[in-house]
Amino acid sequence: MLWLAQAAAILAIHLTKVGAAATLYPNATNPNPSNSTNASELNDATSPPYYPSPWMDGSGQWADAYTKAQDFVRQLTLLEKVNLTTGVGWEGEACVGNVGSIPRLGFRALCMQDSPLGVRFADYVSAFPAGGTVAASWDRGVWYQRGYQMGMEHRMKGVDVQLGPVVGPLGRSPEGGRNWEGFSPDPVLSGIAVSETIRGIQDAGVIACTKHYILNEQEHFRQPGDVAGYGFVDGISSNIDDKTLHELYLWPFADAVRAGTGSIMCSYNQVNNSYACQNSYLINYILKGELGFQGFVMSDWSAQHAGVSSSLAGLDMTMPGDTAFDTGLSFWGANLTIAVLNGTIPEWRLDDMATRIMAAYYLVGRDRTQVPVNFNSWSLDTYGYEHPYASMGYGLINQHVDVRAEHGTAIRSAAARSTVLLKNNNALPLSGKEKFTAVFGEDADNNAYGPNGCSDHGCDDGTLAQGWGSGTASFPYLVTPLAAIQNEVLQYGSIIQSVTNNWAYTQIEALAKQASVALVFVNADSGEGYITVDGNEGDRNNLTLWKDGDALIKNVTGYCNNTVVVIHSVGPVLVDAWYNNPNVTAILWAGLPGEQSGNSIADVLYGRVNPGGKLTFTMGASRTDYGTDIIYKPPNGHAAPQDNFDEGVFIDYRYFDKNNIDPIYEFGFGLSYTTFAYSNINVIKASAGAYTPTTGMTLEAPVLGNYSTNPADYQFPSNMTYVTAYIYPYLNSTDLSKASEDSSYGLPTEKYIPAGATDGSPQPRIAAGGGPGGNPELWDVLFTVTATIANNGTIPGEEVVQMYVSLGGPDDPKVVLRGFERLSIQAGSSATFTADITRRDLSNWDTATQNWFISSYPKTVYVGSSSRKLLLSSALNI
Ligand code: BGC
């Protein structure tokens, strides 16, 4: 039988990379920030081994969940524990990921479902604004509420784990296809946004899965595979040094762990030439050791490339469970059962895997909030197959439960609050009474195939309100800008006409000539690498507007001297050709606003919402200004592409600042219909004690219950129906060697286990660790900064006040964002901005001591309205 033919050589061949000896991370110094791959110290970097995998200890907010999880796991058989960790295979059940159930205890299988912006593959759900869009609100309340509402929708559909939010990619290169799923290339902004989102999701009773850990910064070559014309290419290796890892890419993951994320998804790519889902250094040492992560690590879909070694390297759950989609084979399942029975994997490691999964379950209250899964990812039909790939178990699969509640109102408001006003020559707000409103651009109108007409939104037809790939959700409706603007104008009996074919030059000219105001909608899209849109394999091929947007703007501005441009985009676009044109009287960036797109932009255009969003990335004049880029072509030969992160911590505004490059619109920039004045910075020093490195030893690894060592107890039950290609924990022989179907079973090579990997004795605690997120003293407040912000215009408005710090060293960025607050201020009034500066905020990573330290370089705090308008400053005397 197919399911019995478990992956043969895995026990042997996949142990190779985890044992590599070089120790790049601890030894590397911050490399010279240049983008030359030839001279890179990072070329062919290796990742050191770190074992054993830390076991959960219930620290931080996890104590209660830990006790409950241990009590549960103690009751389980070995097969039942394995079932918790292993997916049943692609399209084996209703959700995009499903593990096995424990019927004896009435425990139904866990359901893992995309996406970071809503429930994917379901009807009667909301399509929220994307992460990279709501980031621009700089509003903790918006982030929490969006998280909570998404969590509620997942909960009511029966989902246990929402596969989001995203902080990897962080957004190293603006072309990165999935940047829009995450928040911002700034780690502090991303860290706060991810924390609020996690709290929201988990307060709704659903486990958040923060992804993708880590350095999954481009789509090209994220997975191994055949590349036309090049042969087999291994997954890309993101090569990074220790300092950059800590000060930039790991930062928001630390915040996610501190916020209590129940799960973290390891990514497809390699890091320093070791696949992220079996990289013992990144999972065991950094994530579970230093950051004290208590939840479970789940593989991205087919990102597991090894059985025993991925378990020993800290992976806790494999998704979707099969080696590749629908092979019927698994690195775990039966192989995990065998590995514990023959002593290759110690019982405590499997117990820890199961405990972590169950602790996340209890942490968010799944025991109280769980409802049956009432939708099916693979069909919207009411009746169909319970096991879609196998076409087995016909019955009711979709109950079409409407879970949207009143979320549309919040979605509209969140999108409007996230809209950024980039230019305004007194053109906005509009009144609706303009004599002749003309709307231009395909981006203003419907997709002729319908809002969900392209699979996983893999097209750029009609108005753009989310990117493409697994990070999407079906629109219940999509309010187009054209419909909303028409509603607005018709209230006043004015005239509105549109041309939504970007290439109808004659008609565009004719209409533009008549317009008293022209509203031009343009966009730029990107998505996940398994779909190619207009030649873009996930990552964008360039930063220009799609569908000849530049030509459209040129054609309209040639005939109308009051042209307002609205950009829907996944990130920065090049505006150099037209932003300064005097006929462009206003520019708005509206991101990917979700289902209420038209209403939210109308709220801003017509002044019901005074724009307060600010850019969460830099808009540069040219692509090369960013200093980083995507690798689009594989190297010669069959090695993995080497993506050396030579620029260090200098991405986005940090790179522009360092190289004195003038952006068009800088990070943090955004206008309002009113104006603000900054004054009166005040710095209060707090009395925090000295920083103490964590010392001592952990307890020994707990072993929960015992298990039969008789292989006869693990055979496929005779009274059970085998489902095609389904992954089970059972064996097909009482001879473990035969059951493994591994020809190298028992040979010396097969038995290689990295040193220390099975050792469950007490282990030294890590100096920079000590609690979820890292050493708790990193969050000690050292200073509190206040400033006065006055609204000196004539209407109420909201201002995102930003606090930057200069760490002062020669290798430090000019400034780094460390705090912000969105203040709502009445006309003629002022408000007080307040932000804390923690020890972490002032620290650098020391590769030698493997800990954070505050350098002796002079430090300055700035309060301003953007990364380049640092209006107030004060020295920080430590
Ligand atoms: C993506 C993940 C997603 C998973 C399940 C993968 O291709 O990288 O983000 O959660 O598929 O759909």
Side-chain angles (χ1 to χ4, degrees), residues 90 96-97 112-116 120-121 163-164 166 178 181 209 211-212 216 219 222-223 265 268 298-302 319 325 378 470-471 528 530:
W90 180 242
V96 298
M112 271 53 71
Q113 192 70 9
D114 295 304
S115 77
R120 183 184 179 207
F121 289 152
L163 302 174
V166 172
R178 300 183 75 179
E181 292 187 46
C209 179
K211 62 189 190 181
H212 308 83
N216 190 171
E219 290 303 287
R222 65 178 187 163
Q223 280 169 293
M265 187 188 291
Y268 283 124
M298 177 198 298
S299 76
D300 200 343
W301 269 234
S302 307
M319 279 293 134
F325 288 0
W378 320 112
S470 66
E528 198 172 342
Y530 66 89

Side-chain angles (χ1 to χ4, degrees), residues 220-221 227-234 631-637 639-642:
H220 283 76
F221 317 117
V227 178
Y230 294 91
F232 183 82
V233 176
D234 246 312
I631 296 180
Y632 293 95
K633 285 210 165 84
N636 292 330
Q642 300 292 305

Side-chain angles (χ1 to χ4, degrees), residues 592-677:
L592 305 171
E595 66 187 38
Q596 288 275 338
S597 175
N599 286 335
S600 57
I601 197 67
D603 286 344
V604 173
L605 287 169
Y606 293 94
R608 283 183 296 276
V609 172
N610 186 354
K614 297 208 178 184
L615 286 182
T616 60
F617 49 75
T618 301
M619 292 260 236
S622 83
R623 168 184 199 158
T624 50
D625 283 357
Y626 290 86
T628 51
D629 212 324
I630 302 291
I631 296 180
Y632 293 95
K633 285 210 165 84
N636 292 330
H638 293 182
Q642 300 292 305
D643 196 2
N644 300 327
F645 286 36
D646 288 315
E647 71 287 347
V649 298
F650 296 93
I651 64 169
D652 200 75
Y653 69 90
R654 299 157 173 223
Y655 184 85
F656 280 75
D657 286 350
K658 181 182 171 70
N659 294 287
N660 290 318
I661 300 167
D662 286 332
I664 305 276
Y665 298 115
E666 73 271 18
F667 176 91
F669 176 76
L671 302 168
S672 162
Y673 296 152
T674 184
T675 50
F676 301 96

Side-chain angles (χ1 to χ4, degrees), residues 548-627:
D548 276 350
D550 282 341
L552 176 67
I553 294 168
K554 196 171 173 196
N555 286 335
V556 175
T557 52
Y559 303 99
C560 176
N561 65 5
N562 186 19
T563 302
V564 176
V565 178
V566 178
I567 305 166
H568 286 126
S569 76
V570 289
V573 291
L574 301 183
V575 300
D576 199 38
W578 48 264
Y579 81 102
N580 244 344
N581 180 332
N583 289 352
V584 173
T585 48
I587 305 173
L588 287 159
W589 182 79
L592 305 171
E595 66 187 38
Q596 288 275 338
S597 175
N599 286 335
S600 57
I601 197 67
D603 286 344
V604 173
L605 287 169
Y606 293 94
R608 283 183 296 276
V609 172
N610 186 354
K614 297 208 178 184
L615 286 182
T616 60
F617 49 75
T618 301
M619 292 260 236
S622 83
R623 168 184 199 158
T624 50
D625 283 357
Y626 290 86

Side-chain angles (χ1 to χ4, degrees), residues 353-596:
M353 293 155 76
T355 306
R356 287 170 176 275
I357 294 165
M358 290 310 299
Y361 174 93
Y362 288 116
L363 180 79
V364 306
R366 291 302 297 153
D367 49 334
R368 300 188 306 273
T369 58
Q370 197 182 52
V371 300
V373 178
N374 54 47
F375 73 103
N376 191 288
S377 299
W378 320 112
S379 167
L380 292 175
D381 294 346
T382 307
Y383 291 89
Y385 294 108
E386 180 193 348
H387 306 297
Y389 179 73
S391 298
M392 290 170 76
Y394 191 82
L396 176 67
I397 56 166
N398 266 313
Q399 295 172 36
H400 312 288
V401 181
D402 193 333
V403 297
R404 296 172 302 140
E406 75 306 340
H407 300 165
T409 313
I411 289 170
R412 174 177 182 163
S413 160
R417 292 171 72 75
S418 305
T419 302
V420 185
L421 179 63
L422 296 173
K423 175 178 181 179
N424 189 15
N425 289 355
N426 289 319
L428 298 180
L430 302 170
S431 68
K433 297 175 190 154
E434 291 72 26
K435 204 166 178 192
F436 195 129
T437 300
V439 176
F440 296 93
E442 181 181 322
D443 183 68
D445 205 0
N446 283 306
N447 177 350
Y449 299 108
N452 303 308
C454 307
S455 170
D456 278 333
H457 300 274
C459 65
D460 183 34
D461 296 356
T463 194
L464 181 68
Q466 53 183 303
W468 76 76
S470 66
T472 56
S474 291
F475 289 111
Y477 52 78
L478 175 52
V479 181
T480 65
L482 181 56
I485 293 164
Q486 179 159 315
N487 285 343
E488 203 79 40
V489 169
L490 293 188
Q491 287 174 40
Y492 300 99
S494 307
I495 286 186
I496 173 161
Q497 290 175 29
S498 61
V499 176
T500 56
N501 179 325
N502 289 10
W503 297 274
Y505 294 160
T506 312
Q507 291 81 353
I508 290 169
E509 177 183 333
L511 185 59
K513 278 178 173 162
Q514 303 173 71
S516 34
V517 59
L519 302 172
V520 182
F521 287 82
V522 290
N523 71 31
D525 201 357
S526 74
E528 198 172 342
Y530 66 89
I531 298 175
T532 297
V533 178
D534 199 13
N536 297 267
E537 298 171 23
D539 304 313
R540 281 190 281 171
N541 288 334
N542 51 53
L543 299 182
T544 53
L545 293 172
W546 287 36
K547 306 265 171 127
D548 276 350
D550 282 341
L552 176 67
I553 294 168
K554 196 171 173 196
N555 286 335
V556 175
T557 52
Y559 303 99
C560 176
N561 65 5
N562 186 19
T563 302
V564 176
V565 178
V566 178
I567 305 166
H568 286 126
S569 76
V570 289
V573 291
L574 301 183
V575 300
D576 199 38
W578 48 264
Y579 81 102
N580 244 344
N581 180 332
N583 289 352
V584 173
T585 48
I587 305 173
L588 287 159
W589 182 79
L592 305 171
E595 66 187 38
Q596 288 275 338

